[in-house]
Amino acid sequence: MKTSIKRSMQAVLLATGLLGAGISAQAATVTIACGSVGQDYEFCKRHTDEWAKKTGHTVKLFTAPASTTDILGLFRQMFAAKSTDLDVIMVDVVWPGVIKDHLVDLKPYSKGAEKAHFPAIVANNTINGKLLAMPSFTDAGLMYYRKDLLEKYKLSAPKTWDELAAAAKKIQDGERAAGATDFQGYVFQAKAYEGLTCDAVEWLAAYNGGSIVDAKGNITVNNPNAVKALKTAASWVGTISPTGVLNYAEEDSRGVFQNGKAAFMRNWPYAWSLGNSADSPVKGKIAVSALPSGTVGGKGGAALGGWQLAVSKYSKNVAASADLVMFMTSPEIQKERAIKGSYNPTIMSLYKDKEVLAASPFFGDLYDVFTNASPRPSTVTGLKYPEVSQAFWNATHEVLSGKATAEDSLKGLEAKLKQIKRTGW
Ligand code: GLC
């Protein structure tokens, strides 16, 4: 290149700030899948814009469906076709064993950044020594309730599911009698999808009913405690919960609770920030606790959830995509998401950050709930996890909708899981 041309190019780069930022002339276009639950998309847009400005690369956003079950279906189709359409994807905590063959090893790009994150989550994302995804946020099921209504009806926060049902009934009856005819005691997720697996894993944990398949791979779900757990949950439908709950996902329950139409809600941490947003009818009236236990003095179960970011093996821009993943999972971004969106960080030190704790005090109060949450059996069942989960949520849905008894349904589920397992997971 002639020196004069080189000089004028440098001048252009300097004027646009690109040279100063150490950017090579090769700007890439990276497409990222962003979630669409709560504030997922807004945050994804804001932070990818920041990265694009900083690096000179271009980001295109792809809006993923709300249900994790639908997202997985879509990604698996794209992987089967070796599609180059998506570079950066979101990965549910139960997927690494399912989609491992389609993800890039991020170790060469992470420079050890994963060491600041919860080791259990990093281990979950590491297969055969490859770091297949960087943790973005962690999740655990929580109980939300209306403090003002507990006070009005002189109730204390329920510790067991029986206490919850009684409190929900009392408030529901009272509010309905006072004219709020569509008021609900308790809303949760009972649509036939992965979210129901999470809710039901929590009921099983609360009643000591195991975790569907144990860590050794044994199918344990057909047991009397699991029967009790499903029976209890079925007794809520049509009494303290609307029958419509059989078609509710996270956002449906949040809609009802945030509109002031329910006393209790099971949901993930993201609902805290939205429930306290300026335009929320229940702002300042809500509290969060651990989920109830099955017996007095027993332990409540929270399902472990959470999301990671990964780079598709079929991406044509692996280096830029990996850089975006590292930026989106960095302490700065996790801190902002924690403060403004109540997304639980995966970076341990952020649980000691004063600003983070001030915005979501339950991050500190319920720290044990987040670190001891019950995993779904995705590690042990590996590639077969989606089939296992689907069989479980279908069996549970049958019980909740009164189509089968808990005994019959769990017996049938055991047989189905044996078929899926065949000679091994
Ligand atoms: C949340 C959790 C995820 C879970 C999903 C179920 O997004 O983080 O792990 O699979 O809910 O709906």
Side-chain angles (χ1 to χ4, degrees), residues 140-203:
L142 301 171
M143 185 59 77
Y144 288 80
Y145 60 89
R146 289 278 302 276
K147 326 185 258 205
D148 58 324
L149 292 178
L150 286 192
E151 217 166 275
K152 177 170 167 191
Y153 291 90
K154 303 198 171 30
L155 294 161
S156 47
K159 292 253 174 348
T160 66
W161 282 110
D162 287 347
E163 285 171 17
L164 176 119
K169 180 82 174 59
K170 188 166 185 190
I171 300 175
Q172 182 179 283
D173 287 351
E175 293 301 293
R176 287 188 184 177
T181 49
D182 56 350
F183 194 89
Q184 308 297 338
Y186 178 46
V187 289
F188 58 102
Q189 298 80 44
K191 183 178 161 171
Y193 78 123
E194 185 66 28
L196 175 54
T197 290
C198 296
D199 285 44
V201 155
E202 291 167 348
W203 309 329

Side-chain angles (χ1 to χ4, degrees), residues 68 92-93 139 193-195 250 268 305-307 376:
T68 175
D92 196 337
V93 68
D139 255 347
Y193 78 123
E194 185 66 28
E250 285 82 358
W268 307 100
W307 290 85
R376 287 158 275 171

Side-chain angles (χ1 to χ4, degrees), residues 36-41 43 66 137-142 144 189 193 248-258 265-277 286 288 307 337-345 360 362-363 370:
S36 57
V37 172
Q39 306 183 77
D40 283 348
Y41 189 85
F43 276 108
F137 66 100
T138 185
D139 255 347
L142 301 171
Y144 288 80
Q189 298 80 44
Y193 78 123
Y248 277 14
E250 285 82 358
E251 287 291 81
D252 305 294
S253 353
R254 185 173 68 82
V256 175
F257 184 77
Q258 197 168 312
M265 166 178 73
R266 182 270 176 210
N267 216 324
W268 307 100
Y270 83 96
W272 169 256
S273 162
L274 289 161
N276 282 313
S277 60
I286 58 181
V288 187
W307 290 85
R337 288 170 52 94
I339 294 173
K340 297 191 183 146
S342 58
Y343 291 96
N344 277 67
S360 305
F362 67 91
F363 281 8
F370 296 112

Side-chain angles (χ1 to χ4, degrees), residues 58-365:
T58 302
V59 182
K60 278 199 189 148
L61 305 186
F62 168 83
T63 314
S67 155
T68 175
T69 302
D70 297 340
I71 308 174
L72 180 60
L74 191 76
F75 286 176
R76 291 180 98 178
Q77 274 177 21
M78 297 184 85
F79 291 146
K82 299 194 166 48
S83 164
T84 56
D85 290 354
L86 285 181
D87 300 289
V88 175
I89 62 158
M90 47 204 281
V91 177
D92 196 337
V93 68
V94 286
W95 299 351
V98 183
I99 61 171
K100 59 181 186 330
D101 294 340
H102 309 284
L103 305 178
V104 167
D105 181 6
L106 295 172
K107 275 254 170 76
Y109 306 95
S110 72
K111 302 191 188 91
E114 66 275 14
K115 293 197 185 92
H117 298 249
F118 287 118
I121 303 178
V122 175
N124 184 66
N125 298 351
T126 306
I127 299 181
N128 294 333
K130 291 184 183 154
L131 178 63
L132 298 178
M134 277 299 289
S136 168
F137 66 100
T138 185
D139 255 347
L142 301 171
M143 185 59 77
Y144 288 80
Y145 60 89
R146 289 278 302 276
K147 326 185 258 205
D148 58 324
L149 292 178
L150 286 192
E151 217 166 275
K152 177 170 167 191
Y153 291 90
K154 303 198 171 30
L155 294 161
S156 47
K159 292 253 174 348
T160 66
W161 282 110
D162 287 347
E163 285 171 17
L164 176 119
K169 180 82 174 59
K170 188 166 185 190
I171 300 175
Q172 182 179 283
D173 287 351
E175 293 301 293
R176 287 188 184 177
T181 49
D182 56 350
F183 194 89
Q184 308 297 338
Y186 178 46
V187 289
F188 58 102
Q189 298 80 44
K191 183 178 161 171
Y193 78 123
E194 185 66 28
L196 175 54
T197 290
C198 296
D199 285 44
V201 155
E202 291 167 348
W203 309 329
L204 258 56
Y207 284 92
N208 242 326
S211 53
I212 314 171
V213 175
D214 72 13
K216 289 191 187 127
N218 301 310
I219 297 160
T220 59
V221 75
N222 186 16
N223 70 73
N225 289 341
V227 167
K228 169 98 176 100
L230 294 198
K231 281 205 161 137
T232 305
S235 75
W236 305 330
V237 181
T239 57
I240 54 167
S241 308
T243 48
V245 84
L246 294 167
N247 213 16
Y248 277 14
E250 285 82 358
E251 287 291 81
D252 305 294
S253 353
R254 185 173 68 82
V256 175
F257 184 77
Q258 197 168 312
N259 269 322
K261 301 285 187 195
F264 295 93
M265 166 178 73
R266 182 270 176 210
N267 216 324
W268 307 100
Y270 83 96
W272 169 256
S273 162
L274 289 161
N276 282 313
S277 60
D279 60 352
S280 165
V282 296
K283 180 176 163 47
K285 296 180 178 168
I286 58 181
V288 187
S289 72
L291 287 166
S293 59
T295 50
V296 178
K299 267 196 183 168
L304 175 68
W307 290 85
Q308 352 291 315
L309 289 174
V311 177
S312 159
K313 212 165 100 178
Y314 313 106
S315 164
K316 293 211 170 114
N317 296 300
V318 168
S321 301
D323 189 65
L324 176 58
V325 167
M326 296 317 299
F327 176 79
M328 296 292 277
T329 56
S330 65
E332 295 73 27
I333 301 293
Q334 287 210 358
K335 179 167 174 174
E336 192 183 327
R337 288 170 52 94
I339 294 173
K340 297 191 183 146
S342 58
Y343 291 96
N344 277 67
T346 57
I347 294 175
M348 292 173 285
S349 59
L350 288 174
Y351 287 83
K352 296 200 182 100
D353 186 292
K354 288 209 179 79
E355 289 167 275
V356 168
L357 293 175
S360 305
F362 67 91
F363 281 8
D365 301 342

